[in-house]
Amino acid sequence: MRFIQSFVPPKQKSTSTGVIPALRGLTWLQWAQFLSGWIAWTYDALDFFSVALTVNLLSKQFNQQVSAITTAITLTLLFRSLGAIIFGVLSDRFGRKWPLVCNLLLCSSLSLGTSFVTTFPQFLAVRSLFGVAMGGVWGLASSTALENLPVELRGLGSGIVQQGYALGYLIAAIINLTVVPYSSHSWRCLFWTASSVSFTTAIVRACIPESAVFLRAKAIEREKGSNTTQKTKIFVRETKEMLKTHWKLCIYAVLLMAGFNFMSHGSQDLYPTYLESSKGFSSHSATIATIIGNCGAISGGAIAGYTSQYIGRRLTIVICVLLVGSFIPLWIIPTSFAGLAAGAFCVQFGVQGAWGVIPIQLAEMSPPAFRATFPGVAYQLGNMISAASAQIEATGAKHIRETVIVDGKPTSVADYATVQGIFIGVVAAFVIVVTILGPENHSSHFEQHKTAFEEGGGRDDAMLEGEEGEESVGGSGHSIREVEGKKSGV
């Protein structure tokens, strides 16, 4: 009991009485900020999983083996850390709005470019560049969505935002099921869709005002007479101060995200290929099973995120990962569609349930002034470490074979079931250990902290003057209206 209680956070001073009152108190601007971040991550995931869902089609298109096609996934994951650094720094220095708009426009351009490649080297090159663009989106989207919400809603908001990833996968699977088989353009349809929705999301984000935290900080700096050069020098100095103080935390966050990304990619990227190659399912049935799994992911993320607000971030993660381990047999043993689909639902409920806590866990764990750069870079460096997940599984399955009956004849096929079962089990154990050993800063008011371009922003105790004990920017929207009122002369 004491072990469990060590994970449960102490009660925090709250600005409202619970989730429902907090939801009722949201302004249209807070809703818009949250939804823009969620949509950005959703459609970014749609593009990423367009490759995973069409591995076999791409293999035929470019006359390459499956393991060669998965190189594109590996390259995308490898280059995401570069994008996280570039766009994370731009966001913490200049604000959430325009860096995210530019990021989404770049994603749209590269998605469109993917649809027009004609050779395998071209495909790999464009997907590598897309990795840079994709790497920037998560940190910017999650910080945009969460920092404008009241503390009471951040657990639930975290789960919903993160499961934009699963929803993007779900939308891609539906398009792959209903459009791709009947179109003369085949797999290219997926990338046209991803390009158009990323462009639309960029336009929507451009129409929504900047995050209240940055409007307030810029107003303060304007009153002080600070210019762009001065703010940039302060930003560089505060970044060095943060790294000097928190280098151990940086290493821990990368290890945590490496485990999470191995768990996620190991259970998702080659799942359709696993069902088709090892279980003998048609592409249609594999896609339906993928859709069912993503329904489990979406529900798991929302439920776990909400639960973490009450029992703590780490305890929620540990419970979800234990669920993953307990359902691995259901993931690999059945041969029927119903059994395997149930396994997909349960495992993804646990995997993405744990993931649903990650945006807010990283935001609360981060040096407050760097909550776009720190979570984004940690996430994507973890992605870089786990980049070879699909290739590890594809290579392992090539060497571990099993015999199944196909059309009444024994046939040797790649044993993805055994490979994925071992892979996910080992990674789940690692994630539990790392999570238990890590910190938790439940319900921190990071929105009351100075930004990275303000003097002293690199220190953890650099709170804004007069903020302590007052209602936060995300609490009722009062601070948002105050800043907007000053801008309009009210």
Side-chain angles (χ1 to χ4, degrees), residues 124-191:
L124 292 181
V126 174
R127 297 314 293 174
S128 298
L129 291 174
F130 175 77
V132 177
M134 184 180 185
V137 173
W138 186 83
L140 277 63
S142 62
S143 57
T144 296
L146 296 179
E147 70 188 9
N148 295 290
L149 288 179
V151 171
E152 295 83 358
L153 292 180
R154 286 178 182 164
L156 177 60
S158 173
I160 294 173
V161 167
Q162 183 58 36
Q163 290 327 305
Y165 189 72
L167 181 60
Y169 195 178
L170 178 62
I171 294 171
I174 291 173
I175 296 171
N176 189 53
L177 183 68
T178 59
V179 178
V180 171
Y182 309 104
S183 171
S184 59
H185 301 290
S186 187
W187 57 270
R188 300 179 194 272
C189 299
L190 275 168
F191 295 96

Side-chain angles (χ1 to χ4, degrees), residues 19-36:
V19 171
I20 300 303
L23 280 171
R24 289 173 178 167
L26 290 179
T27 66
W28 74 268
L29 187 52
Q30 288 172 301
W31 276 111
Q33 297 280 8
F34 175 77
L35 291 174
S36 67

Side-chain angles (χ1 to χ4, degrees), residues 105-127:
L105 290 175
L106 185 58
C107 285
S108 175
S109 301
L110 292 169
S111 295
L112 188 63
T114 302
S115 69
F116 287 105
V117 299
T118 56
T119 66
F120 187 57
Q122 289 175 355
F123 179 72
L124 292 181
V126 174
R127 297 314 293 174

Side-chain angles (χ1 to χ4, degrees), residues 182-259:
Y182 309 104
S183 171
S184 59
H185 301 290
S186 187
W187 57 270
R188 300 179 194 272
C189 299
L190 275 168
F191 295 96
W192 289 341
T193 304
S195 177
S196 63
V197 294
S198 291
F199 180 81
T200 303
T201 304
I203 300 303
V204 170
R205 182 65 190 96
C207 295
I208 299 171
E210 175 62 272
S211 175
V213 174
F214 280 86
L215 289 176
R216 180 184 59 190
K218 289 177 180 179
I220 293 172
E221 291 301 305
R222 221 173 9 251
E223 291 177 2
K224 292 179 180 179
S226 300
N227 57 39
T228 300
T229 302
Q230 290 172 327
K231 288 189 284 187
T232 300
K233 287 181 178 179
I234 293 172
F235 177 83
V236 172
R237 185 168 63 248
E238 297 303 330
T239 300
K240 291 178 180 178
E241 180 66 25
M242 180 274 291
L243 290 173
K244 188 191 305 181
T245 305
H246 292 294
W247 64 271
K248 291 181 181 179
L249 182 64
C250 294
I251 294 173
Y252 169 79
V254 171
L255 289 175
L256 178 68
M257 296 318 299

Side-chain angles (χ1 to χ4, degrees), residues 448 463-470:
Q448 296 177 0
M463 306 298 288
L464 288 167
E465 294 181 8
E467 284 294 326
E468 189 174 351
E470 295 182 4

Side-chain angles (χ1 to χ4, degrees), residues 173 177 283-293 337 341:
L177 183 68
S283 176
H284 181 274
S285 296
T287 302
I288 292 176
T290 299
I291 291 172
I292 293 171
F337 174 83

